[in-house]
């Protein structure tokens, strides 16, 4: 099965309210999905091993979503089989004072994965065209008044595209996932977090406040995704009302993208092989 139809083609204006949050791409069995996810995790681990040995490409996997859409769970389940040595996860929170003293891509640059590694961003520079836009936080970020113009979001989309293109041209393969949850499903999950003492820690009053801005967020997401889904850094909109499907779809897309890189263990030259033989002989005779 191909999930490529979840990819947003460049220069497509999307309307999130018209995109399903519960579609399962013809997949109906949760059990079958779980088996397939397991297989995908195994494949991912094998591919990652080669990616790491090859030390040529890095992968950057970005997760964005409304609260309770399942970012944390997806990261936990899909990435569970990977070798921690080749993986780095970074969660972007509200920027610190020091971070605000720099351009918004500064902290992003610092958290990028090294060659050979898979970097996972739980939130990202997209927050700077989402929460910053919805709550009008731009004045915390840009001090000179004359730079805070009407076109700031367009300008930022352009900056983000340039930045991601530069990353791609330097061997960083980018995948961007928007976990698309419905407002009803979010309500259910919030209620579960409130009712289950083991889940209380996941809930904060702020989440309810953000829920109140639902429409504004959907609009900001829709514009950001429409403007920044590119062949060098595609967006995937993943229906997120069913967790089992979200996880399966994300794993399929990552495996596909890794396979495309054709990672392989480095091959030694004739000279290096001969040299290894000499060393081996010395070691045996030692
Ligand atoms: P959580 O994902 O629950 O740990 O929450 C992190 C919070 O940090 C979210 O409410 C984000 O909206 C917020 N956040 C992340 N990046 C930024 C940013 N650049 N500016 C303002 N808030 C941010
Ligand atoms: Mg939260």
């Amino acid at each position: 099965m191909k999930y490529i139809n979840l990819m947003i083609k460049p220069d497509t204006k999307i309307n999130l309210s018209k995109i399903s949050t519960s579609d399962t791409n013809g997949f109906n069995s949760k059990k079958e999905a779980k088996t397939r996810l397991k297989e995908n995790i195994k494949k991912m681990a094998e591919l990652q091993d080669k990616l790491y040995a090859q030390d040529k490409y890095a992968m950057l996997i970005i997760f964005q979503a409304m609260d309770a859409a399942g970012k944390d769970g997806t990261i936990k389940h899909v990435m569970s089989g990977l070798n921690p040595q080749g993986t780095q996860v970074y969660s972007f929170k509200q920027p610190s004072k020091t971070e605000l003293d720099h351009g918004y891509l500064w902290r992003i640059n610092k958290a990028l994965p090294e060659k050979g590694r898979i970097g996972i961003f739980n939130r990202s520079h997209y927050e700077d065209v989402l929460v910053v836009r919805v709550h009008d936080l731009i004045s915390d970020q840009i001090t000179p008044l004359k730079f805070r113009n009407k076109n700031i979001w367009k300008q930022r989309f352009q900056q983000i595209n340039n930045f991601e293109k530069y990353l791609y041209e330097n061997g960083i393969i980018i995948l961007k996932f928007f976990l698309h949850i419905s407002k009803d499903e979010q309500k259910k999950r919030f209620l579960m977090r409130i009712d289950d003492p083991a889940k209380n820690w996941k809930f904060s009053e702020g989440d309810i406040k953000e829920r109140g801005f639902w429409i504004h967020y959907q609009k900001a997401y829709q514009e950001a995704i429409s403007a920044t889904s590119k062949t060098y850094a595609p967006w995937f909109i993943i229906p997120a009302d069913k967790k089992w499907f979200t996880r399966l779809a994300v794993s399929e897309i990552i495996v596909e993208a890794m396979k495309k890189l054709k990672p392989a263990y480095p091959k030694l030259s004739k000279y290096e092989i001969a040299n290894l033989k000499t060393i081996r002989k010395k070691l045996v005779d030692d």
Side-chain angles (χ1 to χ4, degrees), residues 185-245:
E185 181 62 25
Q186 188 196 50
K187 180 176 168 179
K188 271 191 214 151
R189 292 186 191 173
F190 278 173
L191 286 173
M192 257 191 302
R193 289 179 177 186
I194 292 169
D195 295 342
D196 179 353
K199 286 189 177 159
N200 283 172
W201 67 273
K202 280 194 183 179
F203 185 77
S204 87
E205 228 183 307
D207 295 347
I208 288 291
K209 193 183 130 225
E210 293 313 296
R211 180 176 165 82
F213 289 91
W214 187 272
I215 300 287
H216 298 86
Y217 271 109
Q218 298 291 305
K219 199 171 161 275
Y221 264 112
Q222 155 177 309
E223 275 191 32
I225 293 171
S226 301
T228 60
S229 197
K230 300 288 167 187
T231 47
Y232 51 80
W235 272 107
F236 297 86
I237 298 186
I238 313 290
D241 284 356
K242 296 191 180 78
K243 287 182 183 173
W244 60 265
F245 179 73

